[in-house]
Amino acid sequence: MPETAKPFAIVTGASSGIGYELAKLCAQKGYDLLVAADRAAIHDAAKEFRTLGAKVEAVEVDLSNPEGVDKLYAAAKGRPVDALLANAGHGLGHAFLDQDFAEARHVIDTNITGTIYLLQKVGRDMRTKGEGKILITGSIAGFMPGTFQAVYNGTKAFIDSFSFALRAELKDSGVTVTCLMPGATETEFFERAGMEDTQVGQAKKDDPAYVAKVGFDAMMNGEGDVVSGWKNKFTTILANVTPAGMLAEQHRKMAEPGSGKR
């Protein structure tokens, strides 16, 4: 079978969590893969994806800067991308004024700058080809002010909004844009964000395989957005009618350092 006979997907943040499960679904559905993450674990993940019959290229790269995105894009070697699953991102807990600004900026550059740069590069190719599927991992966090998680929630508010705008711009182009908006999910997110002692960090969370399946199916169906889980859907409905100040105080209870010990 010639290489171009199989569809081709790029999945970022694919070494663990939701991104790993998204890449696994792509492999199971017959896609060849280009997967990326900022840790060496991406190479172990790639080995597992290959057992599912996919041809897999793995790139260990920091997607917070243009050079990293260019490296990932170049690794596709000009092969047309049928699906882009832009999932790379991370969070940062604690009060904004107490955070190291370099770390806060890295969250912004990963979640926003690198993401939309990759979207523009691949999206242009898809528009020229007249077909393609894009899945962007946003979050229900984008619906509420993130007390003690202010930068992360702000980046997800941007991504949630951006995805709808991009979808509208690509109307009738043959390219669909879907935004997956999960709630708290059982991944390494809270450990990496330094939020293990918070209420949300210690609470029961959603299964990343379930979340990924919800997002993947929505992408394949060309849906504009999807919130995983009825509880998260209820949260977004309430967020739309609750004053921002009240939402900020509610978020404080979940994300304030030490809140998980009370």
Side-chain angles (χ1 to χ4, degrees):
M1 179 181 292
E3 177 182 322
T4 54
K6 295 183 69 174
F8 178 52
I10 296 177
V11 187
T12 66
S15 62
S16 64
I18 297 172
Y20 172 88
E21 298 295 343
L22 285 170
K24 185 177 176 181
L25 284 167
C26 286
Q28 290 172 336
K29 296 298 183 180
Y31 283 83
D32 284 337
L33 293 170
L34 172 57
V35 293
D38 61 358
R39 295 179 294 170
I42 191 61
H43 300 292
D44 293 329
K47 292 177 183 178
E48 296 179 35
F49 303 145
R50 291 185 188 109
T51 66
L52 300 173
K55 181 176 181 180
V56 184
E57 179 76 19
V59 181
E60 182 182 348
V61 65
D62 182 353
L63 295 176
S64 69
N65 57 72
E67 294 76 19
V69 174
D70 287 340
K71 180 179 178 181
L72 174 61
Y73 182 76
K77 300 175 182 176
R79 184 172 178 181
V81 179
D82 298 285
L84 169 61
L85 296 87
N87 173 78
H90 66 97
L92 186 63
H94 299 275
F96 171 69
L97 296 183
D98 297 330
Q99 292 171 348
D100 179 271
F101 189 74
E103 292 183 3
R105 179 171 177 175
H106 193 266
V107 172
I108 296 169
D109 288 343
T110 302
N111 296 4
I112 296 179
T113 310
T115 296
I116 65 172
Y117 181 44
L118 179 61
L119 287 168
Q120 187 180 71
K121 292 178 78 69
V122 177
R124 282 175 173 170
D125 294 339
M126 288 180 170
R127 184 180 61 181
T128 297
K129 188 173 63 168
E131 60 180 344
K133 297 181 181 299
I134 295 172
L135 178 67
I136 307 171
T137 301
S139 174
I140 66 167
F143 286 82
M144 61 194 78
T147 310
F148 293 103
Q149 206 176 352
V151 172
Y152 174 77
N153 283 39
T155 64
K156 289 305 180 178
F158 177 99
I159 288 297
D160 291 351
S161 172
F162 179 86
S163 69
F164 284 101
L166 181 61
R167 178 179 175 84
E169 290 178 0
L170 289 170
K171 183 180 179 181
D172 302 324
S173 69
V175 181
T176 60
V177 179
T178 303
C179 185
L180 169 60
M181 293 180 283
T185 306
E186 195 62 61
T187 68
E188 298 174 1
F189 174 92
F190 296 96
E191 178 183 354
R192 297 188 74 183
M195 296 180 65
E196 292 175 290
D197 67 341
T198 63
Q199 186 182 108
V200 67
Q202 295 188 10
K204 180 177 174 58
K205 303 173 187 63
D206 293 333
D207 177 10
Y210 163 75
V211 173
K213 182 68 164 54
V214 169
F216 183 85
D217 289 347
M219 177 189 75
M220 296 304 291
N221 292 331
E223 298 173 29
D225 67 298
V226 61
V227 177
S228 58
W230 67 267
K231 183 178 179 181
N232 295 324
K233 292 176 182 177
F234 184 65
T235 297
T236 62
I237 292 171
L238 284 181
N240 283 322
V241 297
T242 304
M246 188 177 296
L247 289 172
E249 284 304 313
Q250 290 174 355
H251 202 281
R252 171 194 296 274
K253 296 175 183 178
M254 296 188 300
E256 185 172 10
S259 60
K261 301 176 182 178
R262 296 172 186 170

